[in-house]
Amino acid sequence: MNRRFIMGVILVIIACCLLLTSLTLYATSIAGVTLPGMSSVEPTPTPVPETPTPIPTPKPELTAQGPLPVLQAKVAYLVDMQNGHVLYDIHGEQAAPMASTTKIMTALIAIQTGNLDQEITVKRDAYLHVIELGSSNAGLVPGEQFTLRELLYGLMLPSGGDAAIAISDALAGSPENFVVRMNLFASRLHLFQTHYTNVDGLTSEDTHYSSAADLTRLTRYALTNPIFRQIVDTPTYTLPTTKQHGPHTWTNTNTLLSTYKGMLGVKTGHTDLAGYCLVFEAQRNGHSLIGVVLNSPDQAIRDQDVSKLLNWGFGLPMK
């Protein structure tokens, strides 16, 4: 009896072992595990087709070719706004006096570092600057108060030297302190042919200068700021009488805004030393050109030079 019982137990144990072994083999086959002594066949991987990297389609670009326009300005420079390619260059890298195009830097620093809603009181030095030097002006009166935003229109449209002084007094304590910021920012923008000695460009000194190439680089950067772009593209700006100031109407000195199709600004300038100057941007058929003319003999010829240069640029083939 005991022997039969023992044999039965042994058979049960053997059966359990066989069952456990079968289950283990089944589980390992599902999991892909190979036990020692077992052979396995690696599955053949399904090749994944490589996706070719798409080759970008080059955008057509303006290509300078043919005879260049003949201008009377001593310095001229034209650039494709989209890619920075230089299309026309007459002495563009040479330092030259740039008159009130200086105010591009003055406005840009004021926009980037000031509070546009800040109230600024016009001081007497702004008024005396106009009286003593005969600078172009916005007609500001000592004691009047304007926001910085309003003074920027007085700076850029009528080319107000008094607005430049008022802004620099408020933001830096004095025009001299503001000039330090201008030269520092010029260095940061790698404008290596540029140096400022004043905030409005009215000077007979040869230590205040820039180049057409530097002015173009500066203005391309400035135009990325929507406030700057809006101001320089404004033909006329009117302020009614308030408790803070009298009435003012400022008209943009860039007459091409109303006479040249697609003109978008930017800034005029004139001194005896610099001649008649203009930094400009224009757009046609969705394409923008930016450029500079310096030292034209008079305003009419300056505008003719700019129009001729732009007409030539917009007429170039796209390749």
Side-chain angles (χ1 to χ4, degrees), residues 12 56 76 85 107 110 135 137 157 177 191 258 264 272 304:
V12 170
H85 290 176
S135 72
N137 64 87
L157 271 62
N177 290 341
L191 307 180
S258 59
L264 301 176
D272 291 341
Q304 291 172 12

Side-chain angles (χ1 to χ4, degrees), residues 141-159:
V141 177
E144 285 189 309
Q145 291 184 326
F146 302 88
T147 64
L148 174 58
R149 185 190 305 271
E150 291 167 343
L151 282 178
L152 285 167
Y153 283 92
L155 173 74
M156 297 300 283
L157 271 62
S159 198

Side-chain angles (χ1 to χ4, degrees), residues 181-192:
R181 298 184 184 182
M182 294 169 71
N183 285 316
L184 178 60
F185 200 67
S187 177
R188 289 177 177 175
L189 289 180
H190 295 175
L191 307 180
F192 298 129

Side-chain angles (χ1 to χ4, degrees), residues 114-123 143-151 166-167 169-171 242-245:
N115 177 356
L116 294 176
D117 296 320
Q118 174 185 349
E119 290 283 346
I120 295 175
T121 300
V122 178
K123 297 181 179 180
E144 285 189 309
Q145 291 184 326
F146 302 88
T147 64
L148 174 58
R149 185 190 305 271
E150 291 167 343
L151 282 178
I167 289 171
D169 280 343
L171 299 188
T242 68
K243 293 181 180 180
Q244 286 75 35
H245 56 73

Side-chain angles (χ1 to χ4, degrees), residues 13-35:
I13 291 173
I14 292 173
C16 290
C17 290
L18 291 174
L19 178 61
L20 181 61
T21 301
S22 299
L23 291 174
T24 301
L25 291 174
Y26 177 72
T28 55
S29 66
I30 293 176
V33 178
T34 302
L35 296 178

